Amino acid sequence: MSTAPSRVYAARLVGLPIFDPQGDQVGKVRDLVVAIRSEASQPRVLGMVAEVFGRRRIFVPMTRVTNIDSGQVYTTGLLNMRRFEQRSTETLVVGQLFDRTVTIKTSGITGTIYDVAMEQARNRDWVLSRIAIAEPAKGLRRRGQTHIAEWGEVEGLTRREPTQAATQLIHALNELRPADAASVIHDLPPERRTAVVAALTDERLADVLEELPEEDQVEILGLLEGERAADVLEEMDPDDAADLIAELPPETAETLLQLMEPEEAEDVKRLMSYVENTAGAMMTSEPVILGPDATVADALAHVRNPDLTPALAALVYVCRPPLETPTGRFLGVAHIQRLLREPPSSLVAGALDESMENLRPEATIDEVAAHLATYNLVAAPVVDENGHLIGAVTVDDLLDHMLPENWRDQAVRSG
């Protein structure tokens, strides 16, 4: 190791970029892998779980790590791109140690682990050296008192807890983008995944579900009680919810649709009525829709919504009332890039793009791809035969349907 800090905390490592000797980023740190032999001896850090391009998770041995600083990790030599598979003798620090209940022997204080420090031993191996512990909250405090203890001063580190909480792991996941959090959840042991799913908010779980493979989506939804499953589906984008419900057994799907709010369920049913891999089946029914009297300032205010994807925020769709899909007569789209050059008080309807045609709901996946490529678009309106806007197809929707079903589990990086 060269110029590495003497002590590094796991929570600060998660998400750091990993660079090769040429200075090119090859992935991000997602966890640490350790071998815990006993509570008396400090566990050796075997390596890092890294997420590389294509969301594949690989193992990076600590012998390959040349430097760790406050903002990045550097490696040497070629990395083995084989998918990481945890062995029975290995423990994930963030995935399995965080939230474990332990006791400081000298004081008798009991709390949960919220961070773990590693440092280099004299033989140059990295070992876990210190444990950060939070006592349960008391009174009106949101968080209990915290303590730092040496590894050997703590007991309970090797004990497996069937009902281990997920507070600290949830905190770590909430710092990640939904796609990154989904990757972490995908690789968790079953009991930890169950705890995490139970602790996530409906909105956050919906965001994560949208980024998981279909088999994971179905499995996780099956862990939920019916009412909560319906609530989570309502928080998902209608097109993603429709795709997920289509994977469920018919009886389960019908039950969940009945438990959903009628308006939300109606949107999902409408999307499920279209032929698979058509514009109607892959579109979202909730683009940014404005009336003909909306100003440029109104449009810019709507697209500032942080919940919008970049593709959905690239266009606004101008229609006559009603402004929920299916809308009144569709008037056209305005590009946000164009609106940024217009006076804020001017009408959006005066800056519509009249050069492109609209997609029909029956358009095939190839026709949708050709349409987006022809007009250099990241999103496009889908309009029915009566001239009503019924949704919008975005480039990320298109890619989700064009890529293989298991694309999230495949490496798309060449060696």
Side-chain angles (χ1 to χ4, degrees):
M1 298 285 168
S2 60
T3 65
S6 59
R7 184 177 299 121
V8 181
Y9 279 89
R12 298 175 187 173
L13 268 178
V14 174
L16 289 186
I18 301 174
F19 294 91
D20 65 15
Q22 287 71 45
D24 296 324
Q25 183 175 342
V26 295
K28 292 181 180 179
V29 179
R30 287 294 173 238
D31 213 325
L32 293 175
V33 183
V34 299
I36 300 179
R37 307 275 184 229
S38 70
E39 295 185 353
S41 58
Q42 295 176 329
R44 186 163 65 94
V45 181
L46 305 177
M48 300 177 179
V49 179
E51 182 178 307
V52 296
F53 185 63
R55 292 172 60 182
R56 172 181 284 261
R57 293 163 74 83
I58 67 168
F59 178 70
V60 179
M62 291 305 292
T63 53
R64 293 284 191 185
V65 178
T66 58
N67 184 32
I68 304 173
D69 62 30
S70 59
Q72 52 264 321
V73 174
Y74 289 93
T75 63
T76 182
L78 295 175
L79 298 179
N80 187 336
M81 301 304 290
R82 186 174 60 193
R83 177 172 294 280
F84 168 69
E85 293 184 5
Q86 185 181 1
R87 298 173 179 171
S88 60
T89 55
E90 298 172 342
T91 299
L92 298 176
V93 171
V94 177
Q96 293 175 282
L97 275 186
F98 278 26
D99 297 296
R100 187 166 294 184
T101 301
V102 295
T103 302
I104 301 175
K105 300 174 186 177
T106 54
S107 63
I109 292 173
T110 296
T112 56
I113 298 174
Y114 71 91
D115 209 348
V116 178
M118 69 175 187
E119 55 188 74
Q120 277 190 296
R122 291 182 179 179
N123 63 359
R124 309 302 289 170
D125 282 346
W126 285 88
V127 295
L128 297 188
S129 58
R130 294 190 175 191
I131 309 295
I133 302 165
E135 291 186 65
K138 298 177 181 178
L140 298 177
R141 292 183 180 179
R142 288 189 174 183
R143 187 174 183 179
Q145 190 173 351
T146 59
H147 307 270
I148 304 293
E150 298 293 332
W151 179 271
E153 298 174 348
V154 177
E155 61 181 4
L157 291 163
T158 59
R159 182 176 61 245
R160 297 293 177 123
E161 300 177 15
T163 58
Q164 184 176 346
T167 306
Q168 305 305 328
L169 181 52
I170 292 296
H171 177 73
L173 290 176
N174 284 338
E175 299 296 316
L176 303 177
R177 292 184 176 183
D180 296 333
S183 293
V184 174
I185 290 173
H186 174 75
D187 290 329
L188 287 176
E191 70 278 3
R192 289 296 276 153
R193 180 188 288 194
T194 300
V196 166
V197 168
L200 285 170
T201 65
D202 292 348
E203 183 177 3
R204 182 63 170 171
L205 180 55
D207 290 340
V208 170
L209 275 179
E210 292 175 0
E211 303 295 336
L212 283 167
E214 288 178 353
E215 59 269 24
D216 284 352
Q217 292 180 335
V218 172
E219 178 185 329
I220 288 174
L221 206 66
L223 298 174
L224 308 180
E225 178 270 331
E227 290 284 356
R228 190 185 179 209
D231 291 342
V232 171
L233 287 167
E234 289 172 2
E235 293 291 343
M236 295 177 68
D237 289 338
D239 54 320
D240 291 311
D243 290 342
L244 173 50
I245 290 176
E247 296 297 319
L248 301 175
E251 292 181 2
T252 303
E254 184 58 34
T255 298
L256 291 177
L257 285 169
Q258 290 178 359
L259 289 172
M260 293 174 67
E261 292 294 329
E263 290 184 3
E264 301 281 355
E266 192 58 39
D267 282 344
V268 171
K269 289 178 182 177
R270 187 165 67 249
L271 291 171
M272 293 176 67
S273 69
Y274 294 107
V275 176
E276 187 177 2
N277 286 335
T278 61
M282 73 179 76
M283 70 184 178
T284 177
S285 57
E286 298 178 347
V288 179
I289 303 172
L290 301 174
D293 58 345
T295 65
V296 169
D298 293 331
L300 297 180
H302 276 80
V303 299
R304 287 193 185 100
N305 182 350
D307 292 334
L308 289 176
T309 64
L312 277 179
L315 293 176
V316 294
Y317 303 78
V318 181
C319 309
R320 297 200 181 279
L323 300 184
E324 294 80 26
T325 54
T327 67
R329 188 164 68 89
F330 174 63
L331 302 179
V333 299
H335 302 272
I336 291 303
Q337 186 182 47
R338 162 75 185 276
L339 296 183
L340 289 172
R341 301 194 295 267
E342 299 293 329
S345 59
S346 62
L347 294 178
V348 174
L352 299 181
D353 183 349
E354 300 176 351
S355 66
M356 66 180 189
E357 299 178 1
N358 304 317
L359 285 170
R360 294 296 185 199
E362 63 273 11
T364 66
I365 193 168
D366 289 338
E367 290 171 337
V368 172
H371 181 86
L372 295 181
T374 298
Y375 294 105
N376 295 317
L377 298 171
V378 293
V382 182
V383 180
D384 66 17
E385 67 275 8
N386 297 316
H388 304 143
L389 179 73
I390 57 175
V393 174
T394 60
V395 68
D396 48 312
D397 294 328
L398 175 66
L399 290 173
D400 270 346
H401 287 77
M402 292 188 75
L403 289 168
E405 287 186 6
N406 61 339
W407 68 267
R408 289 182 172 90
D409 289 331
Q410 291 182 339
V412 294
R413 173 188 173 88
S414 57

